């Protein structure tokens, strides 16, 4: 037994398809913002994976510290979820940074500045990517991301 989608879901999908078709600048803005955030995180030395995603996990490790940082960021006006056990393995607690196409460069820049404060205030360990690691990562961008990086 199956049923069709509710009309409001079908209408939402149609609108989403129109946005994809007509508003390509949103994809460009998204990947520009992701690259800007990743580049800034690289400079802070925070522990994050080199991966092409608009969801960027920053590993903190300690659960209590992760939740303290989440509260600190909220006090600064930034919604950034802390993810703790059982959603991640014990000792792997992290912040879940979500970047979107409508963030401005100032939003990302301000957030990076606050993350630098967080790094110092909460005495987070530093993890630095080598220039070679970073270059390989940038060169590994899938074509649909590389086209936006090459046009910025």
């Amino acid at each position: 037994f199956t049923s069709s989608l509710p009309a409001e879901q079908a209408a939402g999908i149609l609108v989403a398809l129109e946005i994809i078709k007509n508003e390509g600048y949103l994809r460009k803005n998204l990947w520009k913002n992701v690259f800007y955030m990743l580049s800034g995180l690289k400079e802070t030395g925070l522990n994050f994976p080199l991966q092409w995603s608009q969801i960027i996990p920053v590993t903190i490790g300690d659960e209590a510290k992760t939740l303290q940082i989440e509260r600190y960021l909220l006090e600064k006006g930034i919604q950034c979820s802390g993810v703790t056990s059982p959603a991640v393995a014990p000792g792997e607690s992290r912040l879940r940074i979500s970047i979107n196409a409508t963030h401005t460069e100032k939003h990302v820049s301000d957030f990076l500045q606050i993350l630098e404060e967080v790094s110092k205030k909460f005495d987070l360990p530093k993890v630095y990517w080598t220039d070679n690691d970073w270059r390989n990562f940038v060169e590994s961008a899938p074509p649909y991301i590389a086209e936006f990086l090459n046009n910025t």
Side-chain angles (χ1 to χ4, degrees), residues 41-118:
L41 285 171
K42 175 184 175 275
E43 297 305 313
T44 67
L46 290 172
N47 186 3
F48 69 99
L50 292 180
Q51 63 185 24
W52 292 107
S53 175
Q54 68 275 20
I55 299 170
I56 306 167
V58 173
T59 301
I60 305 301
D62 180 81
E63 191 167 306
K65 192 179 280 192
T66 301
L67 296 175
Q68 289 172 344
I69 293 170
E70 178 185 42
R71 281 190 296 279
Y72 180 81
L73 291 172
L74 194 55
E75 289 168 6
K76 297 283 189 178
I78 296 172
Q79 175 66 47
C80 182
S81 300
V83 182
T84 60
S85 176
V88 295
E92 294 292 322
S93 293
R94 61 197 64 184
L95 298 175
R96 184 180 190 267
I97 298 174
S98 298
I99 301 297
N100 69 51
T102 58
H103 284 127
T104 64
E105 189 172 306
K106 182 167 175 23
H107 290 142
V108 177
S109 175
D110 289 350
F111 186 38
L112 286 165
Q113 186 174 30
I114 291 169
L115 286 173
E116 190 66 51
E117 288 175 26
V118 163

Side-chain angles (χ1 to χ4, degrees), residues 31-49:
W31 294 114
K32 181 184 74 148
N33 288 341
V34 167
F35 186 71
Y36 186 38
M37 177 58 78
L38 291 170
S39 298
L41 285 171
K42 175 184 175 275
E43 297 305 313
T44 67
L46 290 172
N47 186 3
F48 69 99

